[in-house]
Amino acid sequence: MEASAAVWVAALNGSAMGGGCELALACDVRLMARGDHCIGQPEVLLGFSPGGGGTQRLARMIGSARALRLVLDGGALTPEEALSLGIVDYLVEPGELVDSAVAEAARLGSRPKAAIAACKRAVYEGGSMPLPQGLQLERAEFLSALGTVEAKQAMRDYLEAIERDGELPAYDPAQLHAARLRGRFS
């Protein structure tokens, strides 16, 4: 999942404990329905450690100290607690979960596939390397995606939009404001 050019969005409409949590952590984006359910890594309570990536992904996501406390405790987190720790990205009403997840997947998945794959490799692989090697990987991904047909077309479209509208499309204040309202930026 982490190496693919697809954007993986988890839609959690109930409890995700152990393997369910680990599958959600492997996704690029996690939406969770509000409600009386939870997410967590309870394996330690059964006498073993998480084995499907929970320790590694949590540590990279929320830091080693927090991840260790969560997996040593084994307790469940409410949707609100998971959001505040950064384990899930968005909370939505249960009836809106699937539509919200599909919309987010469509929005993020509409980016050029080579760029998606390059971003994911730079973050997932480069993020676990020492900084000089991570920067080298990022630079290599940048250069490899820059010359693709998709990137060239996206750059042409961007320049045409500037000429047509007289504005910088990537810095559209209305779009940034709408993203802030949706909770994408704080």
Side-chain angles (χ1 to χ4, degrees):
M1 292 169 67
E2 291 158 342
S4 77
V7 175
W8 294 81
V9 177
L12 305 168
N13 65 352
S15 291
M17 300 296 291
C21 178
E22 289 170 318
L23 180 59
L25 294 173
C27 291
D28 302 310
V29 179
R30 287 155 300 284
L31 283 73
M32 189 170 194
R34 297 179 189 281
D36 188 23
H37 42 267
C38 50
I39 186 169
Q41 298 293 158
E43 290 86 348
V44 71
L45 302 174
L46 302 172
F48 53 90
S49 65
T55 62
Q56 299 305 298
R57 290 187 178 98
L58 275 173
R60 286 165 173 75
M61 188 177 290
I62 65 172
S64 297
R66 282 183 173 170
L68 182 60
R69 284 193 298 275
L70 286 177
V71 298
L72 287 177
D73 179 73
L77 300 170
T78 66
E80 292 76 17
E81 290 168 330
L83 177 68
S84 72
L85 287 172
I87 294 171
V88 297
D89 299 293
Y90 311 110
L91 296 183
V92 298
E93 295 306 317
E96 299 171 10
L97 179 65
V98 172
D99 289 342
S100 296
V102 169
E104 186 69 355
R107 186 180 76 81
L108 296 175
S110 70
R111 275 83 168 133
K113 299 303 174 224
I116 290 171
C119 289
K120 288 175 66 168
R121 283 189 297 269
V123 169
Y124 290 132
E125 294 174 28
S128 62
M129 296 176 172
L131 183 59
Q133 286 80 16
L135 290 170
Q136 185 176 9
L137 175 64
E138 179 186 72
R139 192 169 32 260
E141 294 295 346
F142 168 77
L143 292 172
S144 70
L146 191 61
T148 65
V149 172
E150 290 176 305
K152 290 177 184 177
Q153 184 61 51
M155 288 184 268
R156 277 192 294 275
D157 293 346
Y158 186 82
L159 291 173
E160 288 172 9
I162 291 173
E163 289 176 16
R164 180 186 66 242
D165 302 332
E167 299 287 334
L168 297 175
Y171 302 102
D172 180 358
Q175 285 185 11
L176 289 175
H177 179 69
R180 283 188 186 96
L181 291 176
R182 290 189 307 268
R184 298 209 194 321
F185 304 104
S186 50

